[in-house]
């Protein structure tokens, strides 16, 4: 029996129910469907704050949402509703089939308005319903709270807990071959971060514990693909030092040590082990219009299983923002890191990614966005390398404080080479999203 016959559900009724729930309950923002790295990258790097901002950073107080005041908090309810279409719903190499799907993504964000200290919270949902192939349906969520305790000056202490469910689909380098449904991944994260500021020197330390729980997924032939061997707990320690030479120039060095503890050790081999990533560099202005962050270093991923080779090599993390005019920004970023593989027989792969984006403010209420990115994944222990290419365009049209309209179109191509090929396909996606917010 075909997938469509066995898996189809009353889509209209389900989507309608979700839409009503989203509008009446008001849970928060949609989580991205594809996560390029299931573990975040430590303390985020930020360019020095100046009076020059990119198109997407520029505030628009005349059309920005005002939120709802609730005591000492501002609450921002929002729901995104979109209609979408895909030319290749399963990411098939041959005989691609198309489908339409709806997304309902409610969210609720809250932040304190205290003069010192801060408390943030969010509740978000991301519900996808496909017209013909309900096997692709997704029910994502994201719930978290973060607090900041200001000590003195720039010194503070942050604590955060978060739980979410994301879906790894065919657009990700981690997607298993011949899978029909996306791979559900439940994550629970707890972190504690301290910052100590002394004149121009800033020291930061972070402790992060992330629990990853993969659910099995269904193959194109209807059988189940086991994903339990990827369940693990990652404990990460991060230390960083920054020295501000001037308001627009700073030097930094960061080290990230991660301990990976896998639950299943007898599937093909134990992927437990540790990882070290050290990057040093600078953030500076090349010219008054070109802002740059450049970090270069070394990474290594060691596995406890005898005979499994250590992954090591160059690490880099770079970003360039070119403020062409006040209305146009070009951004380029590059990164290389090590990721654990979702492919049997391979412990992991090195991922090198280059991305570029151009943002143009055609009107104060209309921003045009074009983006392109290229990723190369080289797998260890098996003969395979993947190339993922994506190009897309969208427009963000803010009708008023309460309504935003966003049409988009994207093209993706995934190629694979070597004796153990991964999934190869191309796909076009188009959508129209309406955001309702306060």
């Amino acid at each position: 029996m075909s997938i469509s016959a066995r898996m189809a559900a009353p889509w209209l009724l389900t989507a309608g129910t979700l839409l009503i729930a989203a509008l009446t309950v008001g849970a928060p923002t949609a989580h991205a469907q594809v996560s390029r790295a299931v573990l975040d990258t430590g303390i985020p790097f930020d360019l020095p704050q100046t009076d020059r901002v990119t198109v997407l950073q520029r505030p628009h107080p005349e059309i920005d949402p005002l939120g709802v005041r609730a005591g000492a908090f501002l609450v921002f309810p929002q729901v995104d509703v979109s209609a979408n279409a895909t030319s290749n719903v399963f990411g098939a190499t041959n005989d691609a089939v198309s489908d339409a799907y709806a997304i309902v993504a409610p969210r609720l964000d809250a932040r304190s308005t205290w003069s010192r200290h801060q408390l943030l919270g969010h509740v978000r949902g991301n519900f996808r319903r496909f017209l013909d192939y309900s096997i692709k349906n997704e029910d994502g969520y994201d719930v978290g709270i973060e607090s900041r305790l200001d000590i003195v000056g720039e010194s503070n202490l942050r604590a955060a807990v978060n739980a979410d469910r994301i879906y790894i689909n065919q657009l990700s380098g981690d997607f298993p071959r011949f899978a029909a449904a996306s791979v559900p991944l439940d994550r629970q994260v707890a972190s504690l971060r301290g910052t100590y500021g002394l004149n121009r020197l800033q020291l930061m330390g972070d402790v992060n514990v992330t629990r990853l729980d993969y659910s099995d997924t269904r193959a194109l032939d209807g059988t189940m693909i086991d994903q339990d061997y990827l369940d693990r707990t990652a404990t990460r320690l991060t230390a960083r030092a920054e020295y501000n030479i001037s308001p627009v120039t700073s030097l930094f060095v960061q080290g990230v040590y991660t301990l990976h503890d896998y639950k299943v050790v007898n599937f093909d081999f134990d992927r437990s082990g540790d990882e070290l990533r050290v990057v040093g560099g600078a953030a500076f202005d090349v010219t008054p219009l070109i802002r740059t962050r450049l970090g270069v270093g070394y990474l290594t991923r060691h596995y406890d299983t005898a005979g499994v080779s250590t992954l090591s090599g160059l690490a880099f993390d770079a970003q360039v923002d070119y403020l062409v005019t006040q209305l146009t920004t070009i951004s380029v970023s590059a990164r290389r890191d090590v990721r654990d593989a979702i492919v049997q027989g391979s412990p992991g792969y090195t991922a090198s990614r280059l991305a570029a984006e151009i943002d143009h403010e055609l009107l104060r209420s209309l921003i045009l966005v074009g983006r392109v990115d290229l990723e190369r994944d080289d797998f260890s222990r098996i003969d395979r390398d993947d190339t993922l290419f994506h190009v897309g365009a969208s427009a963000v049209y803010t009708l008023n404080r309460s309504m935003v309209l966003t049409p988009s179109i994207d093209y993706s191509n995934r190629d694979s080479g070597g004796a153990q090929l991964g999934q190869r396909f191309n796909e076009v996606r188009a959508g129209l999203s309406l955001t309702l917010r306060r």
Side-chain angles (χ1 to χ4, degrees):
M1 187 180 294
S2 68
I3 288 177
S4 58
R6 289 186 292 107
M7 298 294 176
W11 176 83
L12 291 176
L13 177 60
T14 306
T17 302
L18 287 172
L19 177 58
I20 294 171
L23 293 173
T24 55
V25 177
T29 173
H31 201 296
Q33 182 187 22
V34 179
S35 175
R36 292 190 175 272
V38 297
L39 294 173
D40 60 25
T41 55
I43 302 171
F45 288 102
D46 295 318
L47 292 172
Q49 297 294 319
T50 70
D51 57 352
R52 297 185 300 276
V53 295
T54 66
V55 168
L56 296 182
Q57 292 173 338
R58 183 179 302 114
H60 291 282
E62 73 282 3
I63 55 177
D64 287 341
L66 299 176
V68 179
R69 184 167 293 278
F73 289 83
L74 274 178
V75 180
F76 296 87
Q78 176 177 310
V79 61
D80 299 327
V81 183
S82 66
N84 308 268
T86 171
S87 66
N88 193 349
V89 65
F90 294 116
T93 304
N94 301 305
D95 302 322
V97 293
S98 60
D99 201 1
Y101 61 99
I103 301 177
V104 178
R107 63 183 292 170
L108 192 66
D109 295 272
R111 68 167 184 258
S112 63
T113 57
W114 308 324
S115 59
R116 283 177 55 80
H117 317 302
Q118 189 176 55
L119 186 62
L120 304 171
H122 66 265
V123 183
R124 305 169 183 172
N126 187 12
F127 307 102
R128 296 172 183 253
R129 289 297 181 267
F130 284 75
L131 181 62
D132 293 324
Y133 301 99
S134 62
I135 192 173
K136 299 289 292 186
N137 291 351
E138 300 178 7
D139 296 312
Y141 65 86
D142 185 352
V143 181
I145 187 169
E146 178 182 345
S147 62
R148 188 194 72 228
L149 176 65
D150 295 326
I151 301 173
V152 61
E154 297 296 322
S155 302
N156 59 68
L157 191 65
R158 297 173 182 264
V161 292
N162 198 88
D164 66 4
R165 172 178 293 169
I166 65 174
Y167 287 81
I168 300 172
N169 73 359
Q170 66 261 27
L171 301 179
S172 170
D174 294 337
F175 192 67
R177 192 181 185 191
F178 301 128
S182 300
V183 180
L185 170 57
D186 292 322
R187 301 185 297 187
Q188 296 86 43
V189 183
S191 66
L192 181 65
R193 179 182 304 168
T195 300
Y196 175 68
L198 179 63
N199 296 325
R200 296 185 176 187
L201 180 64
Q202 192 174 61
L203 304 176
M204 286 168 279
D206 181 270
V207 179
N208 179 291
V209 178
T210 302
R211 181 178 178 271
L212 303 174
D213 185 6
Y214 289 77
S215 297
D216 296 343
T217 190
R218 193 172 295 277
L220 291 168
D221 62 5
T223 61
M224 296 302 295
I225 302 177
D226 183 20
Q227 300 291 285
D228 291 335
Y229 71 99
L230 290 166
D231 294 351
R232 64 191 184 273
T233 299
T235 304
R236 188 189 63 221
L237 306 175
T238 305
R240 184 162 91 215
E242 290 187 10
Y243 183 75
N244 296 316
I245 298 175
S246 72
V248 296
T249 303
S250 64
L251 303 177
F252 64 84
V253 60
Q254 174 172 288
V256 182
Y257 175 78
T258 307
L259 182 65
H260 300 269
D261 182 18
Y262 278 78
K263 294 181 181 179
V264 178
V265 299
N266 58 353
F267 186 76
D268 49 0
F269 50 82
D270 185 5
R271 288 167 167 76
S272 298
D274 56 4
E275 177 182 342
L276 178 64
R277 190 176 196 269
V278 180
V279 173
F284 55 94
D285 284 7
V286 179
T287 73
L289 299 179
I290 301 177
R291 308 172 58 192
T292 303
R293 183 195 71 240
L294 177 62
V296 180
Y298 178 79
L299 58 84
T300 178
R301 173 71 162 92
H302 168 75
Y303 300 91
D304 292 342
T305 300
V308 178
S309 301
T310 297
L311 290 175
S312 61
L314 177 70
F316 56 81
D317 195 322
Q319 178 180 337
V320 178
D321 289 340
Y322 178 25
L323 284 64
V324 183
T325 69
Q326 290 187 343
L327 302 179
T328 304
T329 302
I330 299 175
S331 299
V332 179
S333 62
R335 181 176 175 85
R336 186 175 191 269
D337 54 18
V338 171
R339 302 175 191 169
D340 283 1
I342 204 169
V343 179
Q344 296 181 30
S346 176
Y349 61 95
T350 56
S352 303
R353 183 168 183 257
L354 178 65
E357 180 173 314
I358 181 169
D359 307 312
H360 178 68
E361 188 174 306
L362 187 64
L363 304 170
R364 293 190 67 83
S365 59
L366 178 60
I367 297 177
L368 307 180
V369 179
R371 54 198 170 273
V372 59
D373 58 82
L374 179 67
E375 180 177 321
R376 173 82 172 188
D377 300 334
D378 294 319
F379 288 79
S380 172
R381 212 165 181 256
I382 63 174
D383 182 17
R384 172 178 166 182
D385 56 82
D386 290 357
T387 301
L388 294 91
F389 172 76
H390 164 262
V391 61
S394 62
V396 182
Y397 182 33
T398 305
L399 302 174
N400 52 51
R401 293 186 189 274
S402 301
M403 300 177 64
V404 180
L405 197 63
T406 307
S408 63
I409 185 167
D410 297 87
Y411 170 78
S412 300
N413 180 277
R414 176 173 172 173
D415 196 10
S416 186
Q420 295 173 262
L421 292 176
Q423 209 153 334
R424 307 167 69 182
F425 69 94
N426 59 72
E427 177 187 13
V428 176
R429 293 192 180 197
L432 180 62
S433 172
L434 174 64
T435 299
L436 306 175
R437 64 188 188 183
R438 283 291 305 274

